[in-house]
Amino acid sequence: MAISVRLQTRYDAANNKVMVRPVAENPYTSLGAEAFWRNAVGALNPLQISGLWAPKFQVTKQMKLVTAGSCFAQHFSRALIARGYPWLDAEPAPSFMSPDTRTKFNYGIFSFRTGNIYTAKMLRQWVEIALDMRDEPDEIWQEGGRFFDPLRPAIEPGGFASEDELRTSRAACLSAIRSAIRDAGVFVFTLGLTESWANSETGLEYASCPGTAAGTYDANKHVFVNHRVDAIQADLNAALAAMKAENPALKVLLTVSPVPLTASASGTHVLTATTYSKSVLRAVAGMTAEDSDWVDYFPSYEIITAPAFRGMFYAPNQRNVVSQGVDFVMKNFFADQEAVFGKLKKGKKAAEKPVPPPAAAQSGDDVICEEEMLNAFAK
């Protein structure tokens, strides 16, 4: 069998001459520049690094876009709205509320009023309850005559006035989740944490540790969980499968939050705990995207955290992502979409009224990140 060869030249400084030697063809000889660190990263200014994503499907302005998950997902909704994409607000605030009040009561932060959904287990719980695949939890926290939802304890400032009010509000949220799943063209979900707290008797996973945002911590029934790859993948697959069954046309775009942990209950240094958490989530997101043609992964995490970017996109606290970082992430998002699918064609405008920006964006505030309240317990 004939072997295809090509010639490689290099300068031999010791002998002051050009050397030519044959190089046999192999799988690496046909790869593009993006496959080699020297060409794609090392030789470039960080802001020249591009082509990090080859999207599976086109995100168009005819698709309703749903955002949920960790705090970084809020950047996506803002950027998409700013470019004329139809972000779906399935649980809009009452019309009489001012922008500041909407933000205070957690309207317009995500596509439904769940607050942050940090883990795949929490996403699965919400989806399965909304789609009548599991019962609503009976557990409700009471404190100072007010009532708090363990699935979203920070959603209502000061808690609800009664259990009935809490359940009515939760019913509206569950209805919004059902509507969002059924109407979504693309569901953007940002994975944020592996660490969580759960009820050892019922298995219910909480949005936050009891005794932080609300509730009372009980060492006899409240347990710390640091989810592993297999458990996260099972929960994520179950949630996505349930959504796909409800909406066969659904596309899912996964991201991983580049925001480090505020605090860790794992017993390890918070920096080490962050590396573990984000590494596990990144692995799960990648494997999930590999397994389904309707699920994709966008590398916003790498764009912010990779050593090649030298930490330039973090604020001085080395945690918050600055606006320039968000802009660079979204610039890559749209550039990579255009590189694969071409420029968007101008289609008919949607019949519905344009959705206003999320409340936090209107007021100019930073993203809403419930995990940050853990800073209050630092010594």
Side-chain angles (χ1 to χ4, degrees), residues 254-283:
L254 298 174
T255 64
V256 172
S257 171
V259 180
L261 277 64
T262 297
S264 174
S266 64
T268 60
H269 192 287
V270 67
L271 190 151
T272 307
T274 293
T275 301
Y276 171 85
S277 183
K278 303 301 181 177
S279 299
V280 167
L281 296 175
R282 174 60 183 91

PDB file of all heavy atoms in Angstrom, residues 254-283:
ATOM      1  N   LEU A 254     -26.654  24.365  26.758  1.00  0.00           N
ATOM      2  CA  LEU A 254     -26.081  24.299  28.100  1.00  0.00           C
ATOM      3  C   LEU A 254     -24.857  25.202  28.199  1.00  0.00           C
ATOM      4  O   LEU A 254     -24.075  25.325  27.258  1.00  0.00           O
ATOM      5  CB  LEU A 254     -25.662  22.865  28.428  1.00  0.00           C
ATOM      6  CG  LEU A 254     -26.764  21.809  28.456  1.00  0.00           C
ATOM      7  CD1 LEU A 254     -26.146  20.423  28.658  1.00  0.00           C
ATOM      8  CD2 LEU A 254     -27.782  22.101  29.556  1.00  0.00           C
ATOM      9  N   THR A 255     -24.719  25.833  29.349  1.00  0.00           N
ATOM     10  CA  THR A 255     -23.507  26.571  29.680  1.00  0.00           C
ATOM     11  C   THR A 255     -23.137  26.250  31.124  1.00  0.00           C
ATOM     12  O   THR A 255     -23.948  25.686  31.868  1.00  0.00           O
ATOM     13  CB  THR A 255     -23.692  28.101  29.527  1.00  0.00           C
ATOM     14  OG1 THR A 255     -24.666  28.552  30.471  1.00  0.00           O
ATOM     15  CG2 THR A 255     -24.142  28.456  28.132  1.00  0.00           C
ATOM     16  N   VAL A 256     -21.936  26.594  31.497  1.00  0.00           N
ATOM     17  CA  VAL A 256     -21.475  26.430  32.880  1.00  0.00           C
ATOM     18  C   VAL A 256     -21.073  27.804  33.394  1.00  0.00           C
ATOM     19  O   VAL A 256     -20.344  28.544  32.719  1.00  0.00           O
ATOM     20  CB  VAL A 256     -20.284  25.447  32.972  1.00  0.00           C
ATOM     21  CG1 VAL A 256     -19.695  25.438  34.382  1.00  0.00           C
ATOM     22  CG2 VAL A 256     -20.729  24.043  32.576  1.00  0.00           C
ATOM     23  N   SER A 257     -21.541  28.147  34.570  1.00  0.00           N
ATOM     24  CA  SER A 257     -21.223  29.460  35.134  1.00  0.00           C
ATOM     25  C   SER A 257     -19.739  29.569  35.458  1.00  0.00           C
ATOM     26  O   SER A 257     -19.169  28.700  36.118  1.00  0.00           O
ATOM     27  CB  SER A 257     -22.033  29.703  36.408  1.00  0.00           C
ATOM     28  OG  SER A 257     -21.582  30.870  37.060  1.00  0.00           O
ATOM     29  N   PRO A 258     -19.084  30.656  35.030  1.00  0.00           N
ATOM     30  CA  PRO A 258     -17.680  30.868  35.375  1.00  0.00           C
ATOM     31  C   PRO A 258     -17.498  31.542  36.734  1.00  0.00           C
ATOM     32  O   PRO A 258     -16.371  31.826  37.137  1.00  0.00           O
ATOM     33  CB  PRO A 258     -17.201  31.796  34.253  1.00  0.00           C
ATOM     34  CG  PRO A 258     -18.411  32.612  33.929  1.00  0.00           C
ATOM     35  CD  PRO A 258     -19.595  31.690  34.106  1.00  0.00           C
ATOM     36  N   VAL A 259     -18.600  31.792  37.434  1.00  0.00           N
ATOM     37  CA  VAL A 259     -18.544  32.489  38.716  1.00  0.00           C
ATOM     38  C   VAL A 259     -18.150  31.509  39.822  1.00  0.00           C
ATOM     39  O   VAL A 259     -18.839  30.506  40.041  1.00  0.00           O
ATOM     40  CB  VAL A 259     -19.900  33.142  39.046  1.00  0.00           C
ATOM     41  CG1 VAL A 259     -19.837  33.859  40.395  1.00  0.00           C
ATOM     42  CG2 VAL A 259     -20.307  34.113  37.942  1.00  0.00           C
ATOM     43  N   PRO A 260     -17.054  31.738  40.534  1.00  0.00           N
ATOM     44  CA  PRO A 260     -16.633  30.830  41.601  1.00  0.00           C
ATOM     45  C   PRO A 260     -17.658  30.722  42.731  1.00  0.00           C
ATOM     46  O   PRO A 260     -18.546  31.578  42.860  1.00  0.00           O
ATOM     47  CB  PRO A 260     -15.329  31.457  42.115  1.00  0.00           C
ATOM     48  CG  PRO A 260     -14.852  32.316  40.992  1.00  0.00           C
ATOM     49  CD  PRO A 260     -16.094  32.834  40.331  1.00  0.00           C
ATOM     50  N   LEU A 261     -17.528  29.686  43.540  1.00  0.00           N
ATOM     51  CA  LEU A 261     -18.397  29.516  44.696  1.00  0.00           C
ATOM     52  C   LEU A 261     -18.198  30.668  45.675  1.00  0.00           C
ATOM     53  O   LEU A 261     -17.065  31.118  45.891  1.00  0.00           O
ATOM     54  CB  LEU A 261     -18.095  28.203  45.416  1.00  0.00           C
ATOM     55  CG  LEU A 261     -18.740  26.914  44.871  1.00  0.00           C
ATOM     56  CD1 LEU A 261     -18.235  26.595  43.465  1.00  0.00           C
ATOM     57  CD2 LEU A 261     -18.464  25.750  45.823  1.00  0.00           C
ATOM     58  N   THR A 262     -19.278  31.125  46.268  1.00  0.00           N
ATOM     59  CA  THR A 262     -19.179  32.110  47.341  1.00  0.00           C
ATOM     60  C   THR A 262     -18.612  31.467  48.591  1.00  0.00           C
ATOM     61  O   THR A 262     -17.791  32.053  49.299  1.00  0.00           O
ATOM     62  CB  THR A 262     -20.569  32.698  47.655  1.00  0.00           C
ATOM     63  OG1 THR A 262     -21.054  33.376  46.501  1.00  0.00           O
ATOM     64  CG2 THR A 262     -20.508  33.655  48.830  1.00  0.00           C
ATOM     65  N   ALA A 263     -19.060  30.266  48.884  1.00  0.00           N
ATOM     66  CA  ALA A 263     -18.609  29.517  50.057  1.00  0.00           C
ATOM     67  C   ALA A 263     -18.791  28.034  49.782  1.00  0.00           C
ATOM     68  O   ALA A 263     -19.610  27.644  48.948  1.00  0.00           O
ATOM     69  CB  ALA A 263     -19.411  29.923  51.298  1.00  0.00           C
ATOM     70  N   SER A 264     -18.034  27.208  50.467  1.00  0.00           N
ATOM     71  CA  SER A 264     -18.123  25.764  50.295  1.00  0.00           C
ATOM     72  C   SER A 264     -18.290  25.077  51.643  1.00  0.00           C
ATOM     73  O   SER A 264     -17.571  25.388  52.597  1.00  0.00           O
ATOM     74  CB  SER A 264     -16.871  25.215  49.604  1.00  0.00           C
ATOM     75  OG  SER A 264     -16.906  23.805  49.563  1.00  0.00           O
ATOM     76  N   ALA A 265     -19.236  24.140  51.700  1.00  0.00           N
ATOM     77  CA  ALA A 265     -19.431  23.339  52.909  1.00  0.00           C
ATOM     78  C   ALA A 265     -18.782  21.968  52.777  1.00  0.00           C
ATOM     79  O   ALA A 265     -19.057  21.069  53.572  1.00  0.00           O
ATOM     80  CB  ALA A 265     -20.926  23.188  53.195  1.00  0.00           C
ATOM     81  N   SER A 266     -17.913  21.807  51.772  1.00  0.00           N
ATOM     82  CA  SER A 266     -17.320  20.505  51.485  1.00  0.00           C
ATOM     83  C   SER A 266     -16.182  20.139  52.430  1.00  0.00           C
ATOM     84  O   SER A 266     -15.731  18.994  52.439  1.00  0.00           O
ATOM     85  CB  SER A 266     -16.795  20.491  50.046  1.00  0.00           C
ATOM     86  OG  SER A 266     -15.742  21.434  49.901  1.00  0.00           O
ATOM     87  N   GLY A 267     -15.681  21.117  53.190  1.00  0.00           N
ATOM     88  CA  GLY A 267     -14.544  20.859  54.059  1.00  0.00           C
ATOM     89  C   GLY A 267     -13.216  21.138  53.393  1.00  0.00           C
ATOM     90  O   GLY A 267     -12.167  20.965  54.007  1.00  0.00           O
ATOM     91  N   THR A 268     -13.245  21.573  52.126  1.00  0.00           N
ATOM     92  CA  THR A 268     -12.020  21.910  51.414  1.00  0.00           C
ATOM     93  C   THR A 268     -11.975  23.414  51.170  1.00  0.00           C
ATOM     94  O   THR A 268     -12.974  24.121  51.306  1.00  0.00           O
ATOM     95  CB  THR A 268     -11.942  21.172  50.067  1.00  0.00           C
ATOM     96  OG1 THR A 268     -13.074  21.555  49.249  1.00  0.00           O
ATOM     97  CG2 THR A 268     -11.980  19.666  50.266  1.00  0.00           C
ATOM     98  N   HIS A 269     -10.806  23.901  50.813  1.00  0.00           N
ATOM     99  CA  HIS A 269     -10.634  25.322  50.495  1.00  0.00           C
ATOM    100  C   HIS A 269     -11.603  25.699  49.372  1.00  0.00           C
ATOM    101  O   HIS A 269     -11.832  24.925  48.435  1.00  0.00           O
ATOM    102  CB  HIS A 269      -9.189  25.568  50.061  1.00  0.00           C
ATOM    103  CG  HIS A 269      -8.808  27.005  49.980  1.00  0.00           C
ATOM    104  ND1 HIS A 269      -9.261  27.840  48.968  1.00  0.00           N
ATOM    105  CD2 HIS A 269      -8.008  27.766  50.775  1.00  0.00           C
ATOM    106  CE1 HIS A 269      -8.753  29.048  49.147  1.00  0.00           C
ATOM    107  NE2 HIS A 269      -7.989  29.036  50.237  1.00  0.00           N
ATOM    108  N   VAL A 270     -12.167  26.885  49.452  1.00  0.00           N
ATOM    109  CA  VAL A 270     -13.183  27.289  48.483  1.00  0.00           C
ATOM    110  C   VAL A 270     -12.630  27.315  47.058  1.00  0.00           C
ATOM    111  O   VAL A 270     -13.366  27.053  46.101  1.00  0.00           O
ATOM    112  CB  VAL A 270     -13.791  28.654  48.874  1.00  0.00           C
ATOM    113  CG1 VAL A 270     -12.754  29.776  48.747  1.00  0.00           C
ATOM    114  CG2 VAL A 270     -15.037  28.960  48.060  1.00  0.00           C
ATOM    115  N   LEU A 271     -11.335  27.587  46.884  1.00  0.00           N
ATOM    116  CA  LEU A 271     -10.760  27.572  45.545  1.00  0.00           C
ATOM    117  C   LEU A 271     -10.733  26.147  44.997  1.00  0.00           C
ATOM    118  O   LEU A 271     -11.097  25.898  43.844  1.00  0.00           O
ATOM    119  CB  LEU A 271      -9.358  28.177  45.563  1.00  0.00           C
ATOM    120  CG  LEU A 271      -8.718  28.456  44.196  1.00  0.00           C
ATOM    121  CD1 LEU A 271      -7.755  29.637  44.283  1.00  0.00           C
ATOM    122  CD2 LEU A 271      -7.952  27.228  43.667  1.00  0.00           C
ATOM    123  N   THR A 272     -10.299  25.206  45.829  1.00  0.00           N
ATOM    124  CA  THR A 272     -10.280  23.802  45.417  1.00  0.00           C
ATOM    125  C   THR A 272     -11.693  23.292  45.161  1.00  0.00           C
ATOM    126  O   THR A 272     -11.946  22.565  44.192  1.00  0.00           O
ATOM    127  CB  THR A 272      -9.602  22.939  46.497  1.00  0.00           C
ATOM    128  OG1 THR A 272      -8.324  23.478  46.802  1.00  0.00           O
ATOM    129  CG2 THR A 272      -9.447  21.505  46.027  1.00  0.00           C
ATOM    130  N   ALA A 273     -12.619  23.677  46.042  1.00  0.00           N
ATOM    131  CA  ALA A 273     -14.010  23.261  45.885  1.00  0.00           C
ATOM    132  C   ALA A 273     -14.606  23.804  44.591  1.00  0.00           C
ATOM    133  O   ALA A 273     -15.380  23.123  43.910  1.00  0.00           O
ATOM    134  CB  ALA A 273     -14.839  23.734  47.078  1.00  0.00           C
ATOM    135  N   THR A 274     -14.238  25.028  44.235  1.00  0.00           N
ATOM    136  CA  THR A 274     -14.713  25.616  42.994  1.00  0.00           C
ATOM    137  C   THR A 274     -14.203  24.846  41.788  1.00  0.00           C
ATOM    138  O   THR A 274     -14.951  24.552  40.849  1.00  0.00           O
ATOM    139  CB  THR A 274     -14.273  27.094  42.897  1.00  0.00           C
ATOM    140  OG1 THR A 274     -14.944  27.854  43.907  1.00  0.00           O
ATOM    141  CG2 THR A 274     -14.601  27.680  41.530  1.00  0.00           C
ATOM    142  N   THR A 275     -12.916  24.496  41.821  1.00  0.00           N
ATOM    143  CA  THR A 275     -12.335  23.743  40.710  1.00  0.00           C
ATOM    144  C   THR A 275     -13.032  22.405  40.540  1.00  0.00           C
ATOM    145  O   THR A 275     -13.353  21.987  39.416  1.00  0.00           O
ATOM    146  CB  THR A 275     -10.826  23.522  40.942  1.00  0.00           C
ATOM    147  OG1 THR A 275     -10.181  24.789  41.059  1.00  0.00           O
ATOM    148  CG2 THR A 275     -10.212  22.748  39.786  1.00  0.00           C
ATOM    149  N   TYR A 276     -13.285  21.720  41.646  1.00  0.00           N
ATOM    150  CA  TYR A 276     -14.001  20.446  41.575  1.00  0.00           C
ATOM    151  C   TYR A 276     -15.383  20.644  40.978  1.00  0.00           C
ATOM    152  O   TYR A 276     -15.781  19.949  40.034  1.00  0.00           O
ATOM    153  CB  TYR A 276     -14.126  19.830  42.972  1.00  0.00           C
ATOM    154  CG  TYR A 276     -15.042  18.618  42.996  1.00  0.00           C
ATOM    155  CD1 TYR A 276     -14.555  17.358  42.676  1.00  0.00           C
ATOM    156  CD2 TYR A 276     -16.395  18.740  43.308  1.00  0.00           C
ATOM    157  CE1 TYR A 276     -15.393  16.253  42.667  1.00  0.00           C
ATOM    158  CE2 TYR A 276     -17.237  17.646  43.295  1.00  0.00           C
ATOM    159  CZ  TYR A 276     -16.737  16.405  42.973  1.00  0.00           C
ATOM    160  OH  TYR A 276     -17.586  15.314  42.950  1.00  0.00           O
ATOM    161  N   SER A 277     -16.134  21.596  41.531  1.00  0.00           N
ATOM    162  CA  SER A 277     -17.509  21.807  41.112  1.00  0.00           C
ATOM    163  C   SER A 277     -17.613  22.143  39.631  1.00  0.00           C
ATOM    164  O   SER A 277     -18.388  21.523  38.888  1.00  0.00           O
ATOM    165  CB  SER A 277     -18.126  22.932  41.952  1.00  0.00           C
ATOM    166  OG  SER A 277     -19.484  23.126  41.630  1.00  0.00           O
ATOM    167  N   LYS A 278     -16.818  23.097  39.187  1.00  0.00           N
ATOM    168  CA  LYS A 278     -16.907  23.522  37.789  1.00  0.00           C
ATOM    169  C   LYS A 278     -16.402  22.443  36.840  1.00  0.00           C
ATOM    170  O   LYS A 278     -16.926  22.285  35.726  1.00  0.00           O
ATOM    171  CB  LYS A 278     -16.123  24.819  37.582  1.00  0.00           C
ATOM    172  CG  LYS A 278     -16.569  25.967  38.481  1.00  0.00           C
ATOM    173  CD  LYS A 278     -18.036  26.330  38.307  1.00  0.00           C
ATOM    174  CE  LYS A 278     -18.418  27.496  39.209  1.00  0.00           C
ATOM    175  NZ  LYS A 278     -19.815  27.937  39.039  1.00  0.00           N
ATOM    176  N   SER A 279     -15.385  21.688  37.250  1.00  0.00           N
ATOM    177  CA  SER A 279     -14.863  20.612  36.404  1.00  0.00           C
ATOM    178  C   SER A 279     -15.911  19.528  36.192  1.00  0.00           C
ATOM    179  O   SER A 279     -16.096  19.029  35.073  1.00  0.00           O
ATOM    180  CB  SER A 279     -13.606  20.000  37.025  1.00  0.00           C
ATOM    181  OG  SER A 279     -12.579  20.949  37.156  1.00  0.00           O
ATOM    182  N   VAL A 280     -16.586  19.168  37.254  1.00  0.00           N
ATOM    183  CA  VAL A 280     -17.636  18.150  37.163  1.00  0.00           C
ATOM    184  C   VAL A 280     -18.776  18.637  36.265  1.00  0.00           C
ATOM    185  O   VAL A 280     -19.254  17.909  35.380  1.00  0.00           O
ATOM    186  CB  VAL A 280     -18.161  17.798  38.567  1.00  0.00           C
ATOM    187  CG1 VAL A 280     -19.455  16.989  38.488  1.00  0.00           C
ATOM    188  CG2 VAL A 280     -17.104  17.018  39.344  1.00  0.00           C
ATOM    189  N   LEU A 281     -19.210  19.873  36.470  1.00  0.00           N
ATOM    190  CA  LEU A 281     -20.308  20.412  35.670  1.00  0.00           C
ATOM    191  C   LEU A 281     -19.921  20.530  34.199  1.00  0.00           C
ATOM    192  O   LEU A 281     -20.728  20.244  33.307  1.00  0.00           O
ATOM    193  CB  LEU A 281     -20.738  21.770  36.216  1.00  0.00           C
ATOM    194  CG  LEU A 281     -21.331  21.768  37.624  1.00  0.00           C
ATOM    195  CD1 LEU A 281     -21.608  23.184  38.086  1.00  0.00           C
ATOM    196  CD2 LEU A 281     -22.609  20.934  37.691  1.00  0.00           C
ATOM    197  N   ARG A 282     -18.686  20.945  33.954  1.00  0.00           N
ATOM    198  CA  ARG A 282     -18.224  21.055  32.564  1.00  0.00           C
ATOM    199  C   ARG A 282     -18.203  19.696  31.893  1.00  0.00           C
ATOM    200  O   ARG A 282     -18.582  19.555  30.710  1.00  0.00           O
ATOM    201  CB  ARG A 282     -16.825  21.695  32.536  1.00  0.00           C
ATOM    202  CG  ARG A 282     -16.178  21.724  31.147  1.00  0.00           C
ATOM    203  CD  ARG A 282     -17.018  22.519  30.170  1.00  0.00           C
ATOM    204  NE  ARG A 282     -16.428  22.488  28.828  1.00  0.00           N
ATOM    205  CZ  ARG A 282     -16.711  21.578  27.894  1.00  0.00           C
ATOM    206  NH1 ARG A 282     -17.573  20.589  28.155  1.00  0.00           N
ATOM    207  NH2 ARG A 282     -16.163  21.646  26.692  1.00  0.00           N
ATOM    208  N   ALA A 283     -17.767  18.674  32.617  1.00  0.00           N
ATOM    209  CA  ALA A 283     -17.736  17.325  32.052  1.00  0.00           C
ATOM    210  C   ALA A 283     -19.145  16.843  31.722  1.00  0.00           C
ATOM    211  O   ALA A 283     -19.394  16.301  30.640  1.00  0.00           O
ATOM    212  CB  ALA A 283     -17.063  16.364  33.028  1.00  0.00           C
TER     213      ALA A 283
END
